Amino acid sequence: MRLILIDHEAAFVTRVRQLVRRINGVEAVDEVPDLAELRRYAQAYPDAELVGLVSITMAARGIIKEFVQHCPQVPLVAIGGNDPDRMRAALGEGARAYVRRSDVADELANALDVVRDGGVFVPPVVAMRPGGEPLMTVAGPVPAGFFREDAGKQLTPRQREILSMIRTGRSNLEIAEALDLTVGTVKIHITAIFKALGVRNRTQAMVAADWLDLPAIDPVATQA
């Protein structure tokens, strides 16, 4: 595996180079100025196993999606801060992992393992409020997790419908009323959805729904 870095901070690049020396399977680390150059690099070496590490501050809206459309064989690891919205945006455009800049030493190796396994790495940032304030629940902090690209194929049409509503932040009661189901039935479906996706909470399920690009379903429209 060859890592291709896109980052503006020399000290961070040096830190990553030092980290990957301890990660099995990484042969080399190269740098390119932007995703357009990474695309040319990938086209020049079509048989190389490449993974792009791109700072989200250097990837304008839509750029990751455009790159993934042209180079789907090159997984991207987005590097950013404790910002759930930016994380969801990067994963929604097709990045295969999101690693927090401040915790790259703890998260990068895990992210690369998950990406190699065909999954999508979601760090504990999903349990943070905007601004980085920790969100503690009765279950404690949400651990890192991932879901597989083909997870959506395991869902029934009804489960995909419910997941779409979870994506919009609807409660179990709102979903039940919109679909003319009992709350208990909705909970059973949600348990099955979490198991199929390999996620542990609604926020991770929302990230999965973004990745699967499920249409947002409005319960009011559904009732009509």
Side-chain angles (χ1 to χ4, degrees):
M1 175 190 295
R2 182 179 293 268
L3 300 186
I4 312 298
L5 285 173
I6 303 173
D7 196 275
H8 57 82
E9 186 181 329
F12 182 77
V13 172
T14 299
R15 185 182 180 195
V16 171
R17 287 184 178 278
Q18 293 172 342
L19 288 173
V20 298
R21 293 173 185 170
R22 303 193 297 269
I23 299 177
N24 292 331
V26 178
E27 300 174 356
V29 179
D30 293 327
E31 295 178 61
V32 294
D34 51 40
L35 283 174
E37 186 62 30
L38 176 54
R39 180 178 167 185
R40 286 189 283 271
Y41 191 113
Q43 292 171 340
Y45 302 95
D47 297 326
E49 183 184 5
L50 307 177
V51 175
L53 271 64
V54 57
S55 170
I56 57 174
T57 60
M58 301 182 68
R61 185 179 179 86
I63 296 298
I64 290 178
K65 183 176 182 179
E66 180 181 356
F67 177 86
V68 172
Q69 289 174 340
H70 288 93
C71 298
Q73 79 282 9
V74 180
L76 293 181
V77 176
I79 306 293
N82 289 330
D83 188 335
D85 293 333
R86 295 294 293 274
M87 180 197 70
R88 287 186 63 192
L91 295 176
E93 287 193 25
R96 296 285 295 278
Y98 187 93
V99 171
R100 295 174 296 179
R101 196 177 190 86
S102 60
D103 294 297
V104 64
D106 297 322
E107 297 177 359
L108 182 57
N110 290 334
L112 293 176
D113 283 343
V114 168
V115 168
R116 280 174 170 172
D117 194 42
V120 177
F121 180 81
V122 182
V125 72
V126 297
M128 305 291 284
R129 292 194 182 102
E133 180 185 358
L135 176 60
M136 297 300 294
T137 68
V138 294
V142 180
F146 73 94
F147 55 93
R148 298 190 63 83
E149 280 187 276
D150 59 357
K153 298 177 182 178
Q154 303 176 38
L155 302 178
T156 67
R158 175 63 85 191
Q159 290 167 353
R160 290 176 67 88
E161 190 174 27
I162 291 174
L163 180 56
S164 295
M165 292 185 181
I166 290 175
R167 184 184 188 185
T168 64
R170 303 296 178 177
S171 68
N172 290 356
L173 180 59
E174 289 173 323
I175 294 172
E177 291 177 345
L179 300 179
D180 194 24
L181 300 171
T182 67
V183 173
T185 299
V186 170
K187 289 181 178 179
I188 291 173
H189 279 303
I190 290 177
T191 297
I193 290 169
F194 285 8
K195 183 177 180 180
L197 296 179
V199 301
R200 302 189 182 190
N201 57 56
R202 295 176 80 94
T203 308
Q204 287 187 335
M206 290 170 69
V207 172
D210 287 342
W211 174 266
L212 297 172
D213 198 24
L214 296 180
I217 296 177
D218 187 343
V220 175
T222 304
Q223 286 181 308

